[in-house]
Amino acid sequence: MLGILIEEAHKNGIEVHPWLWVFRTGNVNDKGGILKQHPEWVAIDKEGNSLSANQGYWLCPSIPEVRQLLLNIYKELVQKYPVDGIQLDYVRFESQSPVPYCYNDSCRTQFKARYGIEPMDIQPFTKPVLDWHLWREDLVNAFVAEFRAELKKVRPGLHISAAVGSGPDRARLDLLQNWAHWADNRWVDFLSPMDYTSDPVDFEKRIANTTCRILNSALLAPGLGLFMVKGIDPILQQ
């Protein structure tokens, strides 16, 4: 199906950028093929739950086998099909609200080995809070960097993009997704912040905030929350 789509699109001068889930892998009705075979790879919140409040299941970025499997899948995709780009989605942790992620054995063991403290024992307003945040954030950063390096070897002209949380500060705090850092390092060619709002003034503020932070590090293609907007005029205004 993808091959036919690419062939027909290219005939008409249209690029094809497959949209790929990364660390989210399933929902309340279906955990997905990976977790069916490897249930031990699931991300767990601080209360021990694997199904998130957003009704999703997630892979743990701290597990080397998880990262390698995903990279192998994506490399196979660009080897088999002449895609023009790849857009990554859910390349982050699940939202840290109402319950933070991830507290499975892999995350906790690795962090404790490095910092000498069990994540479950970290007290508010202490330095380990920052260490724990940055350690998890860097797991995602490292994956994006490796993704670019590995896929560019296969297809040097590939355009890499990501659908990311709205607002660089908010995304970093709530999703452990430091996408401004990705742009600074040229790991992505363009970003699609999910600036979902029905308020055109709010939308404009979000765009201005992101543009000010990114400057010329990457192109921006803001995402519109069409499901939140009623009528054609507000959509055209955005």
Side-chain angles (χ1 to χ4, degrees):
M1 191 183 296
L2 179 59
I4 295 170
L5 174 65
I6 293 171
E7 183 180 356
E8 294 301 314
H10 285 177
K11 287 179 183 177
N12 292 279
I14 299 171
E15 293 187 5
V16 177
H17 297 226
W19 166 63
L20 304 177
W21 283 22
V22 182
F23 296 118
R24 179 164 176 167
T25 186
N27 56 56
V28 65
N29 297 313
D30 183 1
K31 289 186 176 183
I34 296 176
L35 286 181
K36 287 177 182 176
Q37 293 191 43
H38 294 281
E40 72 279 9
W41 290 358
V42 72
I44 296 173
D45 70 20
K46 196 172 183 179
E47 296 177 353
N49 303 306
S50 56
L51 181 65
S52 75
N54 293 321
Q55 302 298 291
Y57 290 97
W58 293 70
L59 297 168
C60 177
S62 77
I63 300 173
E65 292 84 359
V66 166
R67 299 194 300 271
Q68 192 59 58
L69 175 65
L70 293 174
L71 286 172
N72 289 346
I73 293 170
Y74 304 149
K75 285 192 288 185
E76 181 179 336
L77 172 64
V78 300
Q79 286 168 345
K80 286 186 174 180
Y81 299 98
V83 297
D84 303 285
I86 292 289
Q87 177 154 104
L88 302 175
D89 199 359
Y90 297 112
V91 57
R92 58 178 176 84
F93 279 79
E94 172 61 292
S95 172
Q96 298 301 293
S97 176
V99 185
Y101 276 76
C102 167
Y103 287 79
N104 69 12
D105 289 343
S106 175
C107 278
R108 291 164 58 188
T109 300
Q110 291 185 50
F111 181 81
K112 186 176 181 179
R114 180 170 178 179
Y115 290 95
I117 186 170
E118 159 64 54
M120 296 290 286
D121 296 335
I122 294 175
Q123 297 299 309
F125 310 111
T126 62
K127 184 179 180 297
V129 172
L130 180 60
D131 294 334
W132 175 232
H133 182 103
L134 293 177
W135 182 81
R136 288 175 296 160
E137 180 186 281
D138 196 52
L139 292 173
V140 180
N141 291 340
F143 180 84
V144 175
E146 188 174 11
F147 174 90
R148 180 179 182 87
E150 290 298 312
L151 269 72
K152 284 285 189 176
K153 291 177 185 176
V154 179
R155 192 171 295 277
L158 191 74
H159 298 297
I160 296 172
S161 64
V164 294
S166 181
D169 295 333
R170 180 181 174 188
R172 190 175 182 187
L173 181 64
D174 187 47
L175 308 176
L176 305 173
Q177 186 183 59
N178 191 355
W179 50 260
H181 182 62
W182 307 349
D184 290 342
N185 285 279
R186 300 296 201 273
W187 295 337
V188 290
D189 300 299
F190 73 90
L191 292 161
S192 297
M194 294 178 285
D195 293 322
Y196 302 159
T197 176
S198 59
D199 182 351
V201 176
D202 180 37
F203 182 77
E204 191 169 356
K205 287 180 179 179
R206 295 185 190 209
I207 300 281
N209 179 37
T210 300
T211 302
C212 181
R213 174 60 183 84
I214 298 302
L215 296 177
N216 297 318
S217 299
L219 296 174
L220 291 172
L224 306 183
L226 301 185
F227 63 95
M228 302 176 69
V229 182
K230 295 182 179 179
I232 190 66
D233 289 339
I235 294 174
L236 292 175
Q237 189 175 5
Q238 288 194 19

